[in-house]
Amino acid sequence: MRVRYSFSSRKTGRARAEKTCQHRKPFPKLVLEVIKTSDIIIEVLDARFIEESRNIESEELIKNSEKKIIFVFNKADLADITKVMQKIELHSLKPYVFVSCKRREGIGKLRKLIKIDVSRLGIKGRKVNVGVIGYPNTGKSSLINVLLGRASARKAAEAGFTKGIQKLKLTDDILILDTPGVIPEEETGTEKEKYIKQAKIGVRTADRAKDPEMIVSELVKEYPSIEKFYNIESNRDSEVLIEKLGRKRNFLIKGGKIDVDRTARLILKDFQEGRIEAI
Ligand SMILES: Nc1nc2c(ncn2[C@@H]2O[C@H](COP(=O)(O)OP(=O)(O)OP(=O)(O)O)[C@@H](O)[C@H]2O)c(=O)[nH]1
Ligand SMILES: [Mg+2]
């Protein structure tokens, strides 16, 4: 099956990169190259949206090439792990580890999982390559920086930040590969469902989102936590919520009307950055 990918555009640095291939390559060439080059692959998922942030196509490519895969559920500081474990069957995603790059939690366990795989592979005479893949904005570069204990992989709140493959030295024997976030075009769901899902993960951040009002209207239906967060009663009607919140924040345009776009983007930003509980 030919898999086509799309990706957003951000700039990334390449500080301390041992070897870089910074020029853009079309997907899936880049994904295939990462999988081909890597002995072990870490798929970084958003702990709040584990199923939604999985790249099934990439997982299949990895499985078919008989490479090891480790699942990292990042941004665990934003998720209620007990609820996540009740909601999702994690058995098929072993080995996995909940990580918070922000709080530097789960890193020791991840290091152990990498070491177990490295010693099982028993590669001699060359470095072991560990590729890090995942949707844009899941925290791949942040994870690498925490693993390395220094800011080497460039990260940013803006999705699509990393471009090209960046190779960094994890230990004398292990190289870690930072890659740009990838959205498979073969994602399931309607265009609208895909768009909402990507908005949740933050593939396109609030400042760049198209139609933030539509996204917010869907999020408000799904997450009562949004109303609670702003302490506004709106009966899950986003128009009412935006109107009341805009007025509260004094987000006004000419004629004293509410700046609907600005208010919707604020809600989306608070949601994407985890200030609002997503479960
Ligand atoms: N709360 C929280 N935020 C995180 C965590 N890890 C990363 N982030 C934030 O998520 C955003 C994206 O981080 P990056 O490391 O640039 O993500 P990436 O997957 O490399 O993104 P691309 O290169 O665009 O694919 C940044 O604002 C990070 O600060 C975490 O564990 N918790
Ligand atoms: Mg990155």
Side-chain angles (χ1 to χ4, degrees):
M1 180 181 64
R2 187 178 150 79
V3 180
R4 282 155 68 225
Y5 296 91
S6 58
F7 57 100
S8 39
S9 52
R10 295 201 294 184
K11 272 198 291 184
T12 195
R14 48 176 166 166
R16 293 179 192 237
E18 182 152 300
K19 191 179 163 197
T20 54
C21 345
Q22 286 288 318
H23 55 283
R24 276 238 184 121
K25 288 201 176 142
F27 289 102
K29 224 175 159 188
L30 200 138
V31 180
L32 286 170
E33 189 178 314
V34 178
I35 296 173
K36 207 171 131 201
T37 316
S38 306
D39 304 289
I40 299 161
I41 290 125
I42 295 175
E43 186 178 15
V44 182
L45 307 174
D46 187 315
R48 296 167 293 172
F49 315 111
I50 292 178
E51 280 301 338
E52 291 97 321
S53 54
R54 284 177 68 187
N55 185 328
I56 304 294
E57 284 98 343
S58 288
E59 286 178 23
E60 273 169 15
L61 287 172
I62 297 162
K63 219 164 100 189
N64 293 342
S65 57
E66 293 179 3
K67 306 275 166 115
K68 301 259 178 195
I69 182 160
I70 298 170
F71 295 95
V72 164
F73 308 150
N74 188 37
K75 308 197 184 185
D77 55 289
L78 305 180
D80 184 327
I81 297 177
T82 316
K83 284 186 190 164
V84 170
M85 293 184 82
Q86 279 165 359
K87 198 176 142 196
I88 301 169
E89 178 52 72
L90 296 177
H91 196 72
S92 60
L93 298 177
K94 279 184 176 167
Y96 66 78
V97 55
F98 281 92
V99 164
S100 167
C101 292
K102 193 175 173 187
R103 295 191 186 148
R104 290 166 197 273
E105 285 166 2
I107 302 299
K109 188 171 172 199
L110 176 60
R111 250 185 245 283
K112 269 188 206 150
L113 289 176
I114 297 172
K115 278 189 186 156
I116 291 170
D117 277 349
V118 169
S119 65
R120 272 194 197 142
L121 284 167
I123 292 167
K124 297 267 177 315
R126 70 162 174 92
K127 289 182 168 122
V128 176
N129 290 314
V130 179
V132 181
I133 63 161
Y135 264 76
N137 205 40
T138 50
K140 300 172 292 299
S141 300
S142 303
L143 181 75
I144 291 176
N145 287 337
V146 178
L147 274 170
L148 261 51
R150 58 174 197 262
S152 301
R154 293 269 314 275
K155 57 146 206 165
E158 190 192 335
F161 189 77
T162 306
K163 291 194 188 70
I165 303 169
Q166 189 180 7
K167 278 193 181 183
L168 299 144
K169 189 175 146 187
L170 181 61
T171 68
D172 286 342
D173 308 316
I174 306 171
L175 289 177
I176 193 147
L177 280 62
D178 192 14
T179 70
V182 168
I183 308 159
E185 275 193 4
E186 306 291 321
E187 275 183 313
T188 52
T190 62
E191 285 307 309
K192 190 174 168 185
E193 281 165 354
K194 284 192 248 181
Y195 195 65
I196 300 293
K197 159 181 145 162
Q198 290 173 15
K200 287 185 195 172
I201 302 168
V203 164
R204 193 176 277 124
T205 36
D207 53 330
R208 287 176 164 208
K210 287 182 200 136
D211 206 349
E213 280 175 73
M214 183 273 284
I215 299 169
V216 167
S217 99
E218 293 301 314
L219 292 180
V220 166
K221 279 186 229 156
E222 194 177 344
Y223 300 99
S225 51
I226 299 178
E227 284 187 13
K228 254 193 242 158
F229 178 75
Y230 298 110
N231 202 13
I232 288 174
E233 200 60 65
S234 70
N235 229 349
R236 303 223 192 161
D237 181 336
S238 64
E239 278 185 32
V240 177
L241 177 69
I242 289 173
E243 175 70 28
K244 288 188 178 173
L245 180 62
R247 205 154 288 287
K248 211 170 162 182
R249 298 285 168 106
N250 217 16
F251 285 0
L252 302 176
I253 48 171
K254 268 189 190 159
K257 283 193 182 145
I258 300 301
D259 189 337
V260 171
D261 184 81
R262 186 177 170 201
T263 314
R265 285 183 200 278
L266 169 80
I267 299 171
L268 183 55
K269 191 171 194 305
D270 282 336
F271 185 86
Q272 285 177 335
E273 294 179 4
R275 284 181 281 281
I276 302 170
E277 207 182 62
I279 259 193

mmCIF file of all heavy atoms in Angstrom, residues 88-129:
data_model
loop_
_atom_site.group_PDB
_atom_site.id
_atom_site.type_symbol
_atom_site.label_atom_id
_atom_site.label_comp_id
_atom_site.label_asym_id
_atom_site.label_seq_id
_atom_site.Cartn_x
_atom_site.Cartn_y
_atom_site.Cartn_z
ATOM 1 N N ILE A 88 -8.775 2.917 27.705
ATOM 2 C CA ILE A 88 -8.075 2.340 26.549
ATOM 3 C C ILE A 88 -7.401 1.018 26.885
ATOM 4 O O ILE A 88 -6.790 0.861 27.943
ATOM 5 C CB ILE A 88 -7.021 3.340 26.014
ATOM 6 C CG1 ILE A 88 -7.712 4.642 25.620
ATOM 7 C CG2 ILE A 88 -6.285 2.781 24.799
ATOM 8 C CD1 ILE A 88 -6.755 5.756 25.342
ATOM 9 N N GLU A 89 -7.518 0.092 25.965
ATOM 10 C CA GLU A 89 -6.854 -1.200 26.094
ATOM 11 C C GLU A 89 -5.388 -1.021 25.681
ATOM 12 O O GLU A 89 -5.085 -0.891 24.491
ATOM 13 C CB GLU A 89 -7.587 -2.211 25.176
ATOM 14 C CG GLU A 89 -6.992 -3.586 25.150
ATOM 15 C CD GLU A 89 -6.801 -4.174 26.536
ATOM 16 O OE1 GLU A 89 -7.794 -4.526 27.176
ATOM 17 O OE2 GLU A 89 -5.624 -4.265 26.957
ATOM 18 N N LEU A 90 -4.523 -0.981 26.670
ATOM 19 C CA LEU A 90 -3.128 -0.667 26.356
ATOM 20 C C LEU A 90 -2.272 -1.907 26.105
ATOM 21 O O LEU A 90 -1.096 -1.797 25.746
ATOM 22 C CB LEU A 90 -2.507 0.161 27.496
ATOM 23 C CG LEU A 90 -3.134 1.541 27.730
ATOM 24 C CD1 LEU A 90 -2.503 2.227 28.914
ATOM 25 C CD2 LEU A 90 -2.988 2.415 26.493
ATOM 26 N N HIS A 91 -2.894 -3.071 26.298
ATOM 27 C CA HIS A 91 -2.125 -4.309 26.212
ATOM 28 C C HIS A 91 -1.364 -4.466 24.892
ATOM 29 O O HIS A 91 -0.214 -4.889 24.877
ATOM 30 C CB HIS A 91 -3.078 -5.488 26.424
ATOM 31 C CG HIS A 91 -2.345 -6.738 26.719
ATOM 32 N ND1 HIS A 91 -1.722 -6.941 27.938
ATOM 33 C CD2 HIS A 91 -2.095 -7.825 25.947
ATOM 34 C CE1 HIS A 91 -1.133 -8.119 27.904
ATOM 35 N NE2 HIS A 91 -1.332 -8.669 26.722
ATOM 36 N N SER A 92 -2.040 -4.068 23.797
ATOM 37 C CA SER A 92 -1.414 -4.255 22.478
ATOM 38 C C SER A 92 -0.319 -3.215 22.208
ATOM 39 O O SER A 92 0.355 -3.267 21.185
ATOM 40 C CB SER A 92 -2.473 -4.159 21.379
ATOM 41 O OG SER A 92 -3.073 -2.879 21.432
ATOM 42 N N LEU A 93 -0.172 -2.279 23.124
ATOM 43 C CA LEU A 93 0.829 -1.235 22.900
ATOM 44 C C LEU A 93 2.073 -1.447 23.777
ATOM 45 O O LEU A 93 2.761 -0.492 24.129
ATOM 46 C CB LEU A 93 0.225 0.152 23.170
ATOM 47 C CG LEU A 93 -0.946 0.551 22.274
ATOM 48 C CD1 LEU A 93 -1.505 1.901 22.668
ATOM 49 C CD2 LEU A 93 -0.509 0.603 20.815
ATOM 50 N N LYS A 94 2.328 -2.678 24.121
ATOM 51 C CA LYS A 94 3.509 -2.950 24.949
ATOM 52 C C LYS A 94 4.747 -3.092 24.085
ATOM 53 O O LYS A 94 4.645 -3.659 23.003
ATOM 54 C CB LYS A 94 3.280 -4.213 25.768
ATOM 55 C CG LYS A 94 2.459 -3.923 27.012
ATOM 56 C CD LYS A 94 2.340 -5.170 27.859
ATOM 57 C CE LYS A 94 1.603 -4.841 29.151
ATOM 58 N NZ LYS A 94 1.195 -6.034 29.866
ATOM 59 N N PRO A 95 5.925 -2.655 24.529
ATOM 60 C CA PRO A 95 6.148 -1.952 25.774
ATOM 61 C C PRO A 95 5.783 -0.470 25.653
ATOM 62 O O PRO A 95 6.012 0.141 24.634
ATOM 63 C CB PRO A 95 7.658 -2.101 25.985
ATOM 64 C CG PRO A 95 8.223 -2.204 24.616
ATOM 65 C CD PRO A 95 7.179 -2.874 23.778
ATOM 66 N N TYR A 96 5.192 0.055 26.731
ATOM 67 C CA TYR A 96 4.851 1.476 26.729
ATOM 68 C C TYR A 96 5.301 2.122 28.030
ATOM 69 O O TYR A 96 5.541 1.429 29.022
ATOM 70 C CB TYR A 96 3.357 1.685 26.518
ATOM 71 C CG TYR A 96 2.476 1.171 27.633
ATOM 72 C CD1 TYR A 96 2.321 1.887 28.825
ATOM 73 C CD2 TYR A 96 1.767 -0.031 27.501
ATOM 74 C CE1 TYR A 96 1.515 1.415 29.847
ATOM 75 C CE2 TYR A 96 0.955 -0.501 28.512
ATOM 76 C CZ TYR A 96 0.832 0.217 29.686
ATOM 77 O OH TYR A 96 0.046 -0.256 30.688
ATOM 78 N N VAL A 97 5.404 3.431 27.982
ATOM 79 C CA VAL A 97 5.738 4.164 29.195
ATOM 80 C C VAL A 97 5.062 5.533 29.159
ATOM 81 O O VAL A 97 5.027 6.185 28.118
ATOM 82 C CB VAL A 97 7.286 4.263 29.395
ATOM 83 C CG1 VAL A 97 7.976 4.852 28.198
ATOM 84 C CG2 VAL A 97 7.646 5.074 30.634
ATOM 85 N N PHE A 98 4.462 5.905 30.280
ATOM 86 C CA PHE A 98 3.901 7.258 30.416
ATOM 87 C C PHE A 98 5.056 8.195 30.759
ATOM 88 O O PHE A 98 5.845 7.910 31.667
ATOM 89 C CB PHE A 98 2.848 7.310 31.534
ATOM 90 C CG PHE A 98 1.507 6.773 31.125
ATOM 91 C CD1 PHE A 98 1.190 5.435 31.336
ATOM 92 C CD2 PHE A 98 0.574 7.599 30.520
ATOM 93 C CE1 PHE A 98 -0.056 4.934 30.947
ATOM 94 C CE2 PHE A 98 -0.673 7.105 30.130
ATOM 95 C CZ PHE A 98 -0.982 5.765 30.349
ATOM 96 N N VAL A 99 5.139 9.280 30.016
ATOM 97 C CA VAL A 99 6.255 10.212 30.205
ATOM 98 C C VAL A 99 5.705 11.639 30.326
ATOM 99 O O VAL A 99 4.718 11.986 29.685
ATOM 100 C CB VAL A 99 7.222 10.132 28.991
ATOM 101 C CG1 VAL A 99 8.164 11.327 28.945
ATOM 102 C CG2 VAL A 99 8.022 8.828 29.027
ATOM 103 N N SER A 100 6.351 12.412 31.153
ATOM 104 C CA SER A 100 6.105 13.854 31.108
ATOM 105 C C SER A 100 7.450 14.531 30.922
ATOM 106 O O SER A 100 8.306 14.489 31.800
ATOM 107 C CB SER A 100 5.459 14.352 32.403
ATOM 108 O OG SER A 100 5.523 15.769 32.416
ATOM 109 N N CYS A 101 7.627 15.106 29.742
ATOM 110 C CA CYS A 101 8.889 15.822 29.489
ATOM 111 C C CYS A 101 8.937 17.042 30.396
ATOM 112 O O CYS A 101 9.988 17.431 30.886
ATOM 113 C CB CYS A 101 8.962 16.273 28.039
ATOM 114 S SG CYS A 101 9.127 14.904 26.912
ATOM 115 N N LYS A 102 7.756 17.622 30.604
ATOM 116 C CA LYS A 102 7.680 18.832 31.408
ATOM 117 C C LYS A 102 8.163 18.562 32.829
ATOM 118 O O LYS A 102 8.933 19.338 33.381
ATOM 119 C CB LYS A 102 6.230 19.320 31.415
ATOM 120 C CG LYS A 102 6.078 20.711 31.952
ATOM 121 C CD LYS A 102 4.659 21.173 31.828
ATOM 122 C CE LYS A 102 4.474 22.489 32.529
ATOM 123 N NZ LYS A 102 3.053 22.853 32.553
ATOM 124 N N ARG A 103 7.692 17.434 33.392
ATOM 125 C CA ARG A 103 8.090 17.118 34.777
ATOM 126 C C ARG A 103 9.269 16.153 34.837
ATOM 127 O O ARG A 103 9.635 15.684 35.900
ATOM 128 C CB ARG A 103 6.900 16.500 35.515
ATOM 129 C CG ARG A 103 5.768 17.456 35.678
ATOM 130 C CD ARG A 103 4.736 16.893 36.626
ATOM 131 N NE ARG A 103 3.561 17.751 36.671
ATOM 132 C CZ ARG A 103 2.324 17.321 36.873
ATOM 133 N NH1 ARG A 103 2.102 16.044 37.062
ATOM 134 N NH2 ARG A 103 1.330 18.171 36.896
ATOM 135 N N ARG A 104 9.770 15.792 33.692
ATOM 136 C CA ARG A 104 10.861 14.825 33.590
ATOM 137 C C ARG A 104 10.519 13.509 34.282
ATOM 138 O O ARG A 104 11.325 12.928 35.002
ATOM 139 C CB ARG A 104 12.160 15.404 34.186
ATOM 140 C CG ARG A 104 12.704 16.500 33.308
ATOM 141 C CD ARG A 104 13.753 17.326 33.981
ATOM 142 N NE ARG A 104 13.909 18.571 33.236
ATOM 143 C CZ ARG A 104 14.714 18.735 32.202
ATOM 144 N NH1 ARG A 104 15.476 17.748 31.804
ATOM 145 N NH2 ARG A 104 14.765 19.869 31.564
ATOM 146 N N GLU A 105 9.302 13.042 34.066
ATOM 147 C CA GLU A 105 8.881 11.777 34.666
ATOM 148 C C GLU A 105 8.819 10.688 33.602
ATOM 149 O O GLU A 105 8.489 10.953 32.452
ATOM 150 C CB GLU A 105 7.492 11.949 35.315
ATOM 151 C CG GLU A 105 7.552 12.728 36.620
ATOM 152 C CD GLU A 105 6.202 13.210 37.130
ATOM 153 O OE1 GLU A 105 5.173 12.913 36.493
ATOM 154 O OE2 GLU A 105 6.198 13.918 38.151
ATOM 155 N N GLY A 106 9.128 9.464 34.034
ATOM 156 C CA GLY A 106 9.071 8.312 33.133
ATOM 157 C C GLY A 106 10.323 8.154 32.281
ATOM 158 O O GLY A 106 10.432 7.202 31.501
ATOM 159 N N ILE A 107 11.258 9.050 32.434
ATOM 160 C CA ILE A 107 12.451 9.038 31.578
ATOM 161 C C ILE A 107 13.373 7.854 31.938
ATOM 162 O O ILE A 107 13.916 7.190 31.053
ATOM 163 C CB ILE A 107 13.214 10.380 31.684
ATOM 164 C CG1 ILE A 107 12.285 11.544 31.299
ATOM 165 C CG2 ILE A 107 14.483 10.394 30.822
ATOM 166 C CD1 ILE A 107 11.734 11.502 29.887
ATOM 167 N N GLY A 108 13.489 7.595 33.242
ATOM 168 C CA GLY A 108 14.327 6.470 33.690
ATOM 169 C C GLY A 108 13.794 5.161 33.128
ATOM 170 O O GLY A 108 14.553 4.325 32.635
ATOM 171 N N LYS A 109 12.464 5.005 33.164
ATOM 172 C CA LYS A 109 11.853 3.769 32.666
ATOM 173 C C LYS A 109 12.087 3.644 31.150
ATOM 174 O O LYS A 109 12.395 2.560 30.650
ATOM 175 C CB LYS A 109 10.351 3.771 32.984
ATOM 176 C CG LYS A 109 9.710 2.449 32.680
ATOM 177 C CD LYS A 109 8.288 2.332 33.169
ATOM 178 C CE LYS A 109 7.687 1.031 32.631
ATOM 179 N NZ LYS A 109 6.243 1.027 32.662
ATOM 180 N N LEU A 110 11.968 4.759 30.448
ATOM 181 C CA LEU A 110 12.192 4.734 28.996
ATOM 182 C C LEU A 110 13.643 4.352 28.684
ATOM 183 O O LEU A 110 13.907 3.531 27.807
ATOM 184 C CB LEU A 110 11.849 6.099 28.383
ATOM 185 C CG LEU A 110 12.132 6.231 26.885
ATOM 186 C CD1 LEU A 110 11.344 5.210 26.069
ATOM 187 C CD2 LEU A 110 11.816 7.638 26.386
ATOM 188 N N ARG A 111 14.560 4.944 29.425
ATOM 189 C CA ARG A 111 15.976 4.611 29.239
ATOM 190 C C ARG A 111 16.202 3.103 29.396
ATOM 191 O O ARG A 111 16.906 2.483 28.606
ATOM 192 C CB ARG A 111 16.803 5.316 30.316
ATOM 193 C CG ARG A 111 17.668 6.419 29.795
ATOM 194 C CD ARG A 111 18.510 6.942 30.947
ATOM 195 N NE ARG A 111 18.154 8.309 31.243
ATOM 196 C CZ ARG A 111 18.551 9.335 30.518
ATOM 197 N NH1 ARG A 111 19.321 9.151 29.477
ATOM 198 N NH2 ARG A 111 18.183 10.557 30.821
ATOM 199 N N LYS A 112 15.546 2.526 30.437
ATOM 200 C CA LYS A 112 15.686 1.080 30.679
ATOM 201 C C LYS A 112 15.148 0.284 29.504
ATOM 202 O O LYS A 112 15.776 -0.681 29.060
ATOM 203 C CB LYS A 112 14.920 0.690 31.955
ATOM 204 C CG LYS A 112 15.797 0.773 33.192
ATOM 205 C CD LYS A 112 15.078 0.192 34.397
ATOM 206 C CE LYS A 112 15.637 0.851 35.665
ATOM 207 N NZ LYS A 112 14.666 0.951 36.734
ATOM 208 N N LEU A 113 13.963 0.696 28.987
ATOM 209 C CA LEU A 113 13.368 -0.023 27.848
ATOM 210 C C LEU A 113 14.297 0.036 26.633
ATOM 211 O O LEU A 113 14.469 -0.957 25.921
ATOM 212 C CB LEU A 113 12.000 0.572 27.488
ATOM 213 C CG LEU A 113 10.854 0.328 28.468
ATOM 214 C CD1 LEU A 113 9.594 1.066 28.022
ATOM 215 C CD2 LEU A 113 10.546 -1.165 28.582
ATOM 216 N N ILE A 114 14.894 1.205 26.413
ATOM 217 C CA ILE A 114 15.817 1.340 25.272
ATOM 218 C C ILE A 114 17.015 0.408 25.480
ATOM 219 O O ILE A 114 17.399 -0.343 24.579
ATOM 220 C CB ILE A 114 16.292 2.801 25.092
ATOM 221 C CG1 ILE A 114 15.105 3.728 24.771
ATOM 222 C CG2 ILE A 114 17.353 2.909 23.989
ATOM 223 C CD1 ILE A 114 15.428 5.225 24.757
ATOM 224 N N LYS A 115 17.556 0.422 26.701
ATOM 225 C CA LYS A 115 18.743 -0.410 26.969
ATOM 226 C C LYS A 115 18.444 -1.891 26.795
ATOM 227 O O LYS A 115 19.266 -2.644 26.277
ATOM 228 C CB LYS A 115 19.255 -0.142 28.385
ATOM 229 C CG LYS A 115 20.125 1.108 28.416
ATOM 230 C CD LYS A 115 20.808 1.284 29.730
ATOM 231 C CE LYS A 115 21.536 2.624 29.732
ATOM 232 N NZ LYS A 115 21.745 3.139 31.081
ATOM 233 N N ILE A 116 17.235 -2.314 27.247
ATOM 234 C CA ILE A 116 16.862 -3.732 27.093
ATOM 235 C C ILE A 116 16.873 -4.099 25.615
ATOM 236 O O ILE A 116 17.476 -5.104 25.208
ATOM 237 C CB ILE A 116 15.462 -4.005 27.706
ATOM 238 C CG1 ILE A 116 15.509 -3.877 29.234
ATOM 239 C CG2 ILE A 116 14.944 -5.386 27.309
ATOM 240 C CD1 ILE A 116 14.134 -3.896 29.910
ATOM 241 N N ASP A 117 16.242 -3.266 24.782
ATOM 242 C CA ASP A 117 16.181 -3.547 23.346
ATOM 243 C C ASP A 117 17.570 -3.515 22.721
ATOM 244 O O ASP A 117 17.903 -4.347 21.879
ATOM 245 C CB ASP A 117 15.251 -2.552 22.636
ATOM 246 C CG ASP A 117 13.788 -2.971 22.736
ATOM 247 O OD1 ASP A 117 13.538 -4.108 23.162
ATOM 248 O OD2 ASP A 117 12.915 -2.157 22.398
ATOM 249 N N VAL A 118 18.380 -2.544 23.136
ATOM 250 C CA VAL A 118 19.730 -2.432 22.568
ATOM 251 C C VAL A 118 20.521 -3.697 22.881
ATOM 252 O O VAL A 118 21.158 -4.285 21.998
ATOM 253 C CB VAL A 118 20.457 -1.172 23.100
ATOM 254 C CG1 VAL A 118 21.928 -1.197 22.732
ATOM 255 C CG2 VAL A 118 19.800 0.094 22.545
ATOM 256 N N SER A 119 20.444 -4.172 24.124
ATOM 257 C CA SER A 119 21.251 -5.348 24.442
ATOM 258 C C SER A 119 20.688 -6.598 23.770
ATOM 259 O O SER A 119 21.443 -7.475 23.359
ATOM 260 C CB SER A 119 21.428 -5.517 25.955
ATOM 261 O OG SER A 119 20.192 -5.769 26.524
ATOM 262 N N ARG A 120 19.351 -6.662 23.606
ATOM 263 C CA ARG A 120 18.754 -7.801 22.899
ATOM 264 C C ARG A 120 19.213 -7.854 21.445
ATOM 265 O O ARG A 120 19.409 -8.930 20.891
ATOM 266 C CB ARG A 120 17.229 -7.711 22.918
ATOM 267 C CG ARG A 120 16.642 -8.364 24.136
ATOM 268 C CD ARG A 120 15.148 -8.560 23.959
ATOM 269 N NE ARG A 120 14.536 -8.803 25.254
ATOM 270 C CZ ARG A 120 13.360 -8.342 25.639
ATOM 271 N NH1 ARG A 120 12.648 -7.608 24.815
ATOM 272 N NH2 ARG A 120 12.874 -8.613 26.826
ATOM 273 N N LEU A 121 19.360 -6.672 20.836
ATOM 274 C CA LEU A 121 19.764 -6.627 19.419
ATOM 275 C C LEU A 121 21.205 -7.093 19.249
ATOM 276 O O LEU A 121 21.562 -7.655 18.215
ATOM 277 C CB LEU A 121 19.601 -5.200 18.871
ATOM 278 C CG LEU A 121 18.172 -4.759 18.575
ATOM 279 C CD1 LEU A 121 18.109 -3.257 18.350
ATOM 280 C CD2 LEU A 121 17.613 -5.493 17.358
ATOM 281 N N GLY A 122 22.024 -6.836 20.253
ATOM 282 C CA GLY A 122 23.415 -7.296 20.235
ATOM 283 C C GLY A 122 24.229 -6.785 19.050
ATOM 284 O O GLY A 122 25.062 -7.501 18.501
ATOM 285 N N ILE A 123 23.975 -5.549 18.640
ATOM 286 C CA ILE A 123 24.688 -4.988 17.485
ATOM 287 C C ILE A 123 26.127 -4.651 17.872
ATOM 288 O O ILE A 123 26.366 -3.995 18.881
ATOM 289 C CB ILE A 123 23.942 -3.745 16.949
ATOM 290 C CG1 ILE A 123 22.612 -4.178 16.326
ATOM 291 C CG2 ILE A 123 24.784 -2.983 15.917
ATOM 292 C CD1 ILE A 123 21.650 -3.055 16.029
ATOM 293 N N LYS A 124 27.062 -5.126 17.066
ATOM 294 C CA LYS A 124 28.481 -4.839 17.352
ATOM 295 C C LYS A 124 29.091 -4.071 16.172
ATOM 296 O O LYS A 124 28.704 -4.262 15.034
ATOM 297 C CB LYS A 124 29.261 -6.150 17.535
ATOM 298 C CG LYS A 124 28.813 -7.001 18.714
ATOM 299 C CD LYS A 124 29.635 -6.668 19.955
ATOM 300 C CE LYS A 124 29.237 -7.409 21.206
ATOM 301 N NZ LYS A 124 27.872 -7.543 21.573
ATOM 302 N N GLY A 125 30.032 -3.233 16.475
ATOM 303 C CA GLY A 125 30.802 -2.569 15.412
ATOM 304 C C GLY A 125 30.157 -1.341 14.819
ATOM 305 O O GLY A 125 30.712 -0.716 13.920
ATOM 306 N N ARG A 126 28.981 -0.992 15.263
ATOM 307 C CA ARG A 126 28.361 0.262 14.813
ATOM 308 C C ARG A 126 27.389 0.740 15.883
ATOM 309 O O ARG A 126 27.039 -0.005 16.801
ATOM 310 C CB ARG A 126 27.642 0.097 13.476
ATOM 311 C CG ARG A 126 26.384 -0.745 13.532
ATOM 312 C CD ARG A 126 25.496 -0.499 12.308
ATOM 313 N NE ARG A 126 24.353 -1.400 12.272
ATOM 314 C CZ ARG A 126 23.170 -1.122 12.797
ATOM 315 N NH1 ARG A 126 22.965 0.010 13.438
ATOM 316 N NH2 ARG A 126 22.172 -1.986 12.712
ATOM 317 N N LYS A 127 26.979 1.996 15.721
ATOM 318 C CA LYS A 127 26.039 2.554 16.695
ATOM 319 C C LYS A 127 24.620 2.061 16.427
ATOM 320 O O LYS A 127 24.271 1.785 15.277
ATOM 321 C CB LYS A 127 26.073 4.078 16.623
ATOM 322 C CG LYS A 127 27.366 4.627 17.191
ATOM 323 C CD LYS A 127 27.358 6.133 17.162
ATOM 324 C CE LYS A 127 28.500 6.632 17.978
ATOM 325 N NZ LYS A 127 29.463 7.429 17.484
ATOM 326 N N VAL A 128 23.846 1.962 17.493
ATOM 327 C CA VAL A 128 22.442 1.587 17.348
ATOM 328 C C VAL A 128 21.639 2.868 17.085
ATOM 329 O O VAL A 128 21.859 3.882 17.739
ATOM 330 C CB VAL A 128 21.920 0.902 18.643
ATOM 331 C CG1 VAL A 128 20.431 0.597 18.539
ATOM 332 C CG2 VAL A 128 22.710 -0.373 18.930
ATOM 333 N N ASN A 129 20.750 2.824 16.104
ATOM 334 C CA ASN A 129 19.929 4.001 15.788
ATOM 335 C C ASN A 129 18.537 3.868 16.397
ATOM 336 O O ASN A 129 17.853 2.866 16.175
ATOM 337 C CB ASN A 129 19.786 4.152 14.271
ATOM 338 C CG ASN A 129 21.085 4.562 13.620
ATOM 339 O OD1 ASN A 129 21.771 5.466 14.097
ATOM 340 N ND2 ASN A 129 21.437 3.885 12.539
#
